PDB file of all heavy atoms in Angstrom:
ATOM      1  N   TYR O  25      63.921  39.864  24.459  1.00 87.00           N
ATOM      2  CA  TYR O  25      65.049  40.309  23.638  1.00 87.00           C
ATOM      3  C   TYR O  25      65.395  41.776  23.834  1.00 87.00           C
ATOM      4  O   TYR O  25      66.528  42.181  23.615  1.00 87.00           O
ATOM      5  CB  TYR O  25      64.784  40.038  22.157  1.00 87.00           C
ATOM      6  CG  TYR O  25      64.845  38.570  21.824  1.00 87.00           C
ATOM      7  CD1 TYR O  25      63.689  37.847  21.558  1.00 87.00           C
ATOM      8  CD2 TYR O  25      66.062  37.902  21.802  1.00 87.00           C
ATOM      9  CE1 TYR O  25      63.748  36.493  21.267  1.00 87.00           C
ATOM     10  CE2 TYR O  25      66.132  36.553  21.515  1.00 87.00           C
ATOM     11  CZ  TYR O  25      64.970  35.854  21.248  1.00 87.00           C
ATOM     12  OH  TYR O  25      65.036  34.523  20.972  1.00 87.00           O
ATOM     13  N   THR O  26      64.453  42.600  24.239  1.00 92.00           N
ATOM     14  CA  THR O  26      64.728  44.024  24.403  1.00 92.00           C
ATOM     15  C   THR O  26      64.955  44.433  25.854  1.00 92.00           C
ATOM     16  O   THR O  26      65.026  45.612  26.157  1.00 92.00           O
ATOM     17  CB  THR O  26      63.579  44.853  23.808  1.00 92.00           C
ATOM     18  OG1 THR O  26      62.378  44.567  24.529  1.00 92.00           O
ATOM     19  CG2 THR O  26      63.398  44.573  22.320  1.00 92.00           C
ATOM     20  N   HIS O  27      65.074  43.475  26.756  1.00 89.00           N
ATOM     21  CA  HIS O  27      65.219  43.772  28.186  1.00 89.00           C
ATOM     22  C   HIS O  27      66.418  44.682  28.463  1.00 89.00           C
ATOM     23  O   HIS O  27      66.307  45.650  29.216  1.00 89.00           O
ATOM     24  CB  HIS O  27      65.345  42.478  28.985  1.00 89.00           C
ATOM     25  CG  HIS O  27      65.549  42.689  30.450  1.00 89.00           C
ATOM     26  ND1 HIS O  27      64.605  43.260  31.260  1.00 89.00           N
ATOM     27  CD2 HIS O  27      66.614  42.421  31.246  1.00 89.00           C
ATOM     28  CE1 HIS O  27      65.064  43.333  32.501  1.00 89.00           C
ATOM     29  NE2 HIS O  27      66.283  42.832  32.513  1.00 89.00           N
ATOM     30  N   LEU O  28      67.550  44.399  27.851  1.00 91.00           N
ATOM     31  CA  LEU O  28      68.749  45.202  28.080  1.00 91.00           C
ATOM     32  C   LEU O  28      68.491  46.663  27.716  1.00 91.00           C
ATOM     33  O   LEU O  28      68.748  47.568  28.504  1.00 91.00           O
ATOM     34  CB  LEU O  28      69.924  44.653  27.270  1.00 91.00           C
ATOM     35  CG  LEU O  28      71.235  45.426  27.378  1.00 91.00           C
ATOM     36  CD1 LEU O  28      71.836  45.263  28.759  1.00 91.00           C
ATOM     37  CD2 LEU O  28      72.203  44.972  26.321  1.00 91.00           C
ATOM     38  N   HIS O  29      67.960  46.894  26.523  1.00 93.00           N
ATOM     39  CA  HIS O  29      67.746  48.267  26.059  1.00 93.00           C
ATOM     40  C   HIS O  29      66.548  48.936  26.727  1.00 93.00           C
ATOM     41  O   HIS O  29      66.558  50.157  26.912  1.00 93.00           O
ATOM     42  CB  HIS O  29      67.592  48.286  24.539  1.00 93.00           C
ATOM     43  CG  HIS O  29      68.858  47.928  23.833  1.00 93.00           C
ATOM     44  ND1 HIS O  29      69.904  48.792  23.707  1.00 93.00           N
ATOM     45  CD2 HIS O  29      69.263  46.781  23.252  1.00 93.00           C
ATOM     46  CE1 HIS O  29      70.891  48.208  23.064  1.00 93.00           C
ATOM     47  NE2 HIS O  29      70.538  46.984  22.779  1.00 93.00           N
ATOM     48  N   ASP O  30      65.551  48.174  27.078  1.00 93.00           N
ATOM     49  CA  ASP O  30      64.354  48.764  27.683  1.00 93.00           C
ATOM     50  C   ASP O  30      64.499  49.028  29.179  1.00 93.00           C
ATOM     51  O   ASP O  30      63.890  49.966  29.693  1.00 93.00           O
ATOM     52  CB  ASP O  30      63.143  47.853  27.473  1.00 93.00           C
ATOM     53  CG  ASP O  30      62.696  47.808  26.029  1.00 93.00           C
ATOM     54  OD1 ASP O  30      63.154  48.646  25.226  1.00 93.00           O
ATOM     55  OD2 ASP O  30      61.885  46.914  25.697  1.00 93.00           O
ATOM     56  N   HIS O  31      65.282  48.205  29.890  1.00 92.00           N
ATOM     57  CA  HIS O  31      65.328  48.296  31.343  1.00 92.00           C
ATOM     58  C   HIS O  31      66.717  48.511  31.931  1.00 92.00           C
ATOM     59  O   HIS O  31      66.907  49.367  32.783  1.00 92.00           O
ATOM     60  CB  HIS O  31      64.706  47.037  31.959  1.00 92.00           C
ATOM     61  CG  HIS O  31      63.283  46.847  31.550  1.00 92.00           C
ATOM     62  ND1 HIS O  31      62.907  45.918  30.617  1.00 92.00           N
ATOM     63  CD2 HIS O  31      62.155  47.494  31.924  1.00 92.00           C
ATOM     64  CE1 HIS O  31      61.603  45.988  30.434  1.00 92.00           C
ATOM     65  NE2 HIS O  31      61.117  46.941  31.209  1.00 92.00           N
ATOM     66  N   VAL O  32      67.679  47.720  31.481  1.00 94.00           N
ATOM     67  CA  VAL O  32      69.008  47.768  32.097  1.00 94.00           C
ATOM     68  C   VAL O  32      69.736  49.067  31.768  1.00 94.00           C
ATOM     69  O   VAL O  32      70.242  49.740  32.669  1.00 94.00           O
ATOM     70  CB  VAL O  32      69.855  46.547  31.680  1.00 94.00           C
ATOM     71  CG1 VAL O  32      71.266  46.640  32.234  1.00 94.00           C
ATOM     72  CG2 VAL O  32      69.170  45.258  32.151  1.00 94.00           C
ATOM     73  N   LEU O  33      69.801  49.439  30.499  1.00 97.00           N
ATOM     74  CA  LEU O  33      70.533  50.656  30.125  1.00 97.00           C
ATOM     75  C   LEU O  33      69.920  51.917  30.743  1.00 97.00           C
ATOM     76  O   LEU O  33      70.658  52.743  31.282  1.00 97.00           O
ATOM     77  CB  LEU O  33      70.638  50.770  28.610  1.00 97.00           C
ATOM     78  CG  LEU O  33      71.448  49.655  27.929  1.00 97.00           C
ATOM     79  CD1 LEU O  33      71.478  49.854  26.423  1.00 97.00           C
ATOM     80  CD2 LEU O  33      72.825  49.516  28.508  1.00 97.00           C
ATOM     81  N   PRO O  34      68.598  52.091  30.721  1.00 98.00           N
ATOM     82  CA  PRO O  34      68.033  53.260  31.403  1.00 98.00           C
ATOM     83  C   PRO O  34      68.339  53.274  32.898  1.00 98.00           C
ATOM     84  O   PRO O  34      68.600  54.336  33.481  1.00 98.00           O
ATOM     85  CB  PRO O  34      66.535  53.154  31.140  1.00 98.00           C
ATOM     86  CG  PRO O  34      66.421  52.381  29.878  1.00 98.00           C
ATOM     87  CD  PRO O  34      67.560  51.399  29.934  1.00 98.00           C
ATOM     88  N   ALA O  35      68.334  52.108  33.540  1.00 97.00           N
ATOM     89  CA  ALA O  35      68.651  52.044  34.968  1.00 97.00           C
ATOM     90  C   ALA O  35      70.105  52.438  35.215  1.00 97.00           C
ATOM     91  O   ALA O  35      70.405  53.135  36.193  1.00 97.00           O
ATOM     92  CB  ALA O  35      68.373  50.642  35.509  1.00 97.00           C
ATOM     93  N   LEU O  36      71.005  52.020  34.347  1.00 98.00           N
ATOM     94  CA  LEU O  36      72.408  52.404  34.491  1.00 98.00           C
ATOM     95  C   LEU O  36      72.579  53.920  34.320  1.00 98.00           C
ATOM     96  O   LEU O  36      73.304  54.555  35.085  1.00 98.00           O
ATOM     97  CB  LEU O  36      73.279  51.656  33.478  1.00 98.00           C
ATOM     98  CG  LEU O  36      73.487  50.174  33.750  1.00 98.00           C
ATOM     99  CD1 LEU O  36      74.181  49.509  32.558  1.00 98.00           C
ATOM    100  CD2 LEU O  36      74.289  49.968  35.021  1.00 98.00           C
ATOM    101  N   LEU O  37      71.912  54.484  33.337  1.00 98.00           N
ATOM    102  CA  LEU O  37      71.982  55.929  33.126  1.00 98.00           C
ATOM    103  C   LEU O  37      71.448  56.683  34.339  1.00 98.00           C
ATOM    104  O   LEU O  37      72.035  57.665  34.783  1.00 98.00           O
ATOM    105  CB  LEU O  37      71.220  56.325  31.862  1.00 98.00           C
ATOM    106  CG  LEU O  37      71.879  55.926  30.546  1.00 98.00           C
ATOM    107  CD1 LEU O  37      70.901  56.101  29.389  1.00 98.00           C
ATOM    108  CD2 LEU O  37      73.148  56.723  30.310  1.00 98.00           C
ATOM    109  N   GLN O  38      70.339  56.213  34.876  1.00 98.00           N
ATOM    110  CA  GLN O  38      69.755  56.864  36.042  1.00 98.00           C
ATOM    111  C   GLN O  38      70.666  56.724  37.271  1.00 98.00           C
ATOM    112  O   GLN O  38      70.682  57.594  38.134  1.00 98.00           O
ATOM    113  CB  GLN O  38      68.379  56.297  36.347  1.00 98.00           C
ATOM    114  CG  GLN O  38      67.650  57.071  37.408  1.00 98.00           C
ATOM    115  CD  GLN O  38      66.167  56.777  37.416  1.00 98.00           C
ATOM    116  OE1 GLN O  38      65.675  55.962  36.646  1.00 98.00           O
ATOM    117  NE2 GLN O  38      65.444  57.442  38.298  1.00 98.00           N
ATOM    118  N   ALA O  39      71.430  55.659  37.322  1.00 98.00           N
ATOM    119  CA  ALA O  39      72.338  55.435  38.449  1.00 98.00           C
ATOM    120  C   ALA O  39      73.627  56.230  38.326  1.00 98.00           C
ATOM    121  O   ALA O  39      74.462  56.183  39.224  1.00 98.00           O
ATOM    122  CB  ALA O  39      72.651  53.949  38.583  1.00 98.00           C
ATOM    123  N   GLY O  40      73.798  56.941  37.201  1.00 98.00           N
ATOM    124  CA  GLY O  40      74.962  57.790  37.066  1.00 98.00           C
ATOM    125  C   GLY O  40      75.998  57.347  36.056  1.00 98.00           C
ATOM    126  O   GLY O  40      77.019  58.013  35.881  1.00 98.00           O
ATOM    127  N   VAL O  41      75.774  56.230  35.398  1.00 98.00           N
ATOM    128  CA  VAL O  41      76.685  55.804  34.340  1.00 98.00           C
ATOM    129  C   VAL O  41      76.473  56.744  33.159  1.00 98.00           C
ATOM    130  O   VAL O  41      75.338  57.028  32.786  1.00 98.00           O
ATOM    131  CB  VAL O  41      76.418  54.340  33.931  1.00 98.00           C
ATOM    132  CG1 VAL O  41      77.287  53.922  32.762  1.00 98.00           C
ATOM    133  CG2 VAL O  41      76.620  53.405  35.116  1.00 98.00           C
ATOM    134  N   THR O  42      77.549  57.242  32.579  1.00 98.00           N
ATOM    135  CA  THR O  42      77.415  58.187  31.474  1.00 98.00           C
ATOM    136  C   THR O  42      77.207  57.452  30.150  1.00 98.00           C
ATOM    137  O   THR O  42      77.530  56.264  30.025  1.00 98.00           O
ATOM    138  CB  THR O  42      78.662  59.074  31.347  1.00 98.00           C
ATOM    139  OG1 THR O  42      79.772  58.260  30.955  1.00 98.00           O
ATOM    140  CG2 THR O  42      78.973  59.808  32.653  1.00 98.00           C
ATOM    141  N   GLN O  43      76.693  58.184  29.184  1.00 98.00           N
ATOM    142  CA  GLN O  43      76.520  57.608  27.853  1.00 98.00           C
ATOM    143  C   GLN O  43      77.870  57.221  27.262  1.00 98.00           C
ATOM    144  O   GLN O  43      77.998  56.201  26.600  1.00 98.00           O
ATOM    145  CB  GLN O  43      75.796  58.583  26.926  1.00 98.00           C
ATOM    146  CG  GLN O  43      75.484  58.002  25.561  1.00 98.00           C
ATOM    147  CD  GLN O  43      74.542  56.814  25.624  1.00 98.00           C
ATOM    148  OE1 GLN O  43      73.500  56.871  26.272  1.00 98.00           O
ATOM    149  NE2 GLN O  43      74.902  55.724  24.975  1.00 98.00           N
ATOM    150  N   ALA O  44      78.895  58.016  27.539  1.00 98.00           N
ATOM    151  CA  ALA O  44      80.237  57.685  27.054  1.00 98.00           C
ATOM    152  C   ALA O  44      80.720  56.364  27.650  1.00 98.00           C
ATOM    153  O   ALA O  44      81.362  55.562  26.954  1.00 98.00           O
ATOM    154  CB  ALA O  44      81.211  58.809  27.392  1.00 98.00           C
ATOM    155  N   GLN O  45      80.428  56.114  28.913  1.00 98.00           N
ATOM    156  CA  GLN O  45      80.820  54.850  29.539  1.00 98.00           C
ATOM    157  C   GLN O  45      80.053  53.679  28.926  1.00 98.00           C
ATOM    158  O   GLN O  45      80.626  52.609  28.692  1.00 98.00           O
ATOM    159  CB  GLN O  45      80.590  54.910  31.049  1.00 98.00           C
ATOM    160  CG  GLN O  45      81.545  55.844  31.758  1.00 98.00           C
ATOM    161  CD  GLN O  45      81.152  56.096  33.200  1.00 98.00           C
ATOM    162  OE1 GLN O  45      79.964  56.249  33.522  1.00 98.00           O
ATOM    163  NE2 GLN O  45      82.153  56.150  34.074  1.00 98.00           N
ATOM    164  N   LEU O  46      78.778  53.878  28.651  1.00 98.00           N
ATOM    165  CA  LEU O  46      77.999  52.822  27.994  1.00 98.00           C
ATOM    166  C   LEU O  46      78.545  52.555  26.594  1.00 98.00           C
ATOM    167  O   LEU O  46      78.645  51.399  26.183  1.00 98.00           O
ATOM    168  CB  LEU O  46      76.526  53.203  27.912  1.00 98.00           C
ATOM    169  CG  LEU O  46      75.746  53.195  29.220  1.00 98.00           C
ATOM    170  CD1 LEU O  46      74.322  53.659  28.992  1.00 98.00           C
ATOM    171  CD2 LEU O  46      75.769  51.832  29.870  1.00 98.00           C
ATOM    172  N   ASP O  47      78.899  53.610  25.882  1.00 97.00           N
ATOM    173  CA  ASP O  47      79.474  53.430  24.549  1.00 97.00           C
ATOM    174  C   ASP O  47      80.773  52.639  24.617  1.00 97.00           C
ATOM    175  O   ASP O  47      81.027  51.784  23.767  1.00 97.00           O
ATOM    176  CB  ASP O  47      79.728  54.782  23.887  1.00 97.00           C
ATOM    177  CG  ASP O  47      78.447  55.502  23.513  1.00 97.00           C
ATOM    178  OD1 ASP O  47      77.380  54.856  23.470  1.00 97.00           O
ATOM    179  OD2 ASP O  47      78.516  56.729  23.266  1.00 97.00           O
ATOM    180  N   THR O  48      81.576  52.899  25.631  1.00 98.00           N
ATOM    181  CA  THR O  48      82.817  52.145  25.808  1.00 98.00           C
ATOM    182  C   THR O  48      82.514  50.672  26.041  1.00 98.00           C
ATOM    183  O   THR O  48      83.130  49.791  25.420  1.00 98.00           O
ATOM    184  CB  THR O  48      83.634  52.709  26.983  1.00 98.00           C
ATOM    185  OG1 THR O  48      84.009  54.056  26.670  1.00 98.00           O
ATOM    186  CG2 THR O  48      84.884  51.889  27.240  1.00 98.00           C
TER     187      THR O  48
END
């Protein structure tokens, strides 16, 4: 259940996706 928040979102941030883009 926490895979998205534990793994996917940090990987996106590290790849250059901004927090503002994630919020969108």
Side-chain angles (χ1 to χ4, degrees):
Y25 289 107
T26 63
H27 178 65
L28 178 70
H29 292 284
D30 290 347
H31 300 104
V32 176
L33 296 179
L36 288 171
L37 288 168
Q38 189 163 2
V41 176
T42 67
Q43 185 63 49
Q45 290 169 320
L46 289 177
D47 290 344
T48 297

